[in-house]
Amino acid sequence: MLGREVEEVEKGLAAYWGLPEAIGVGNGLEAIEMALRALGCGPGDFVLTSPISAFATPLAILNLGALPVFVDCDASGMLDLAECRAVLERRPEIRFFVPVHLYGHCLNEGELAALKRDFRLKVVEDCAQSIGARFAGVPSGMAGDYAATSFYPTKNLG
């Protein structure tokens, strides 16, 4: 537990992503929940997210007393970012966003950054299935305030 191996993974991931640090925690659920908590998400807050994800994504939101707001996905199962924009335009009370990168694919990081900026969102990217994935050369996890990933075998090794 913890120790040199975890420290090496943290340093390696931080270097890979060009970030000052990466922090290992027990699992993706904890990573998402801790990141949302650090951003101030709590009871009564609304969090935009995908209905196609592992249980950890909405459970992290619910554990904080917040409420997930699910947005349609496109035919491939990826979050429909145009639909996210439409929902955010109708629901100004939404302050948090957990976009989910799936199946080894990366959402459009440029559009995620635009949504974050345009709606003043606090963003935790769920990158559990997207280590190494890029969109237009930009790795997943770069648009948000935090990114959560996972080493669970069915996430990345499958």
Side-chain angles (χ1 to χ4, degrees):
M1 296 264 191
L2 302 174
R4 186 177 57 80
E5 290 86 1
V6 173
E7 186 177 320
E8 288 177 12
V9 168
E10 290 171 338
K11 287 180 181 176
L13 285 173
Y16 175 76
W17 286 313
L19 298 172
E21 64 184 335
I23 301 168
V25 299
N27 54 58
L29 170 82
E30 288 179 356
I32 295 168
E33 185 176 338
M34 289 171 29
L36 284 169
R37 186 182 310 277
L39 292 171
C41 184
D45 284 321
F46 294 97
V47 183
L48 194 69
T49 194
S50 172
I52 300 179
S53 183
F55 72 91
T57 307
L59 186 56
I61 296 165
L62 293 168
N63 281 350
L64 296 171
L67 299 168
V69 177
F70 295 113
V71 180
D72 283 338
C73 295
D74 64 21
S76 70
M78 297 291 283
L79 196 57
D80 185 330
L81 298 180
E83 182 65 21
C84 288
R85 181 170 290 280
V87 170
L88 290 164
E89 287 170 352
R90 293 189 310 268
R91 306 266 317 260
E93 72 275 15
I94 297 172
R95 301 182 313 123
F96 300 92
F97 185 23
V98 180
V100 181
H101 305 273
L102 285 173
Y103 315 125
H105 298 284
C106 181
L107 292 164
N108 182 330
E109 287 290 307
E111 181 59 25
L112 289 177
L115 289 170
K116 180 180 186 234
R117 178 192 66 238
D118 294 349
F119 296 96
R120 295 188 174 131
L121 297 170
K122 295 178 181 178
V123 178
V124 177
E125 293 183 61
D126 182 338
C127 301
Q129 292 189 26
S130 65
I131 284 183
R134 296 174 179 268
F135 188 96
V138 180
S140 65
M142 295 292 106
D145 298 287
Y146 292 97
T149 193
S150 174
F151 289 107
Y152 193 75
T154 62
K155 300 293 184 182
N156 298 299
L157 300 178

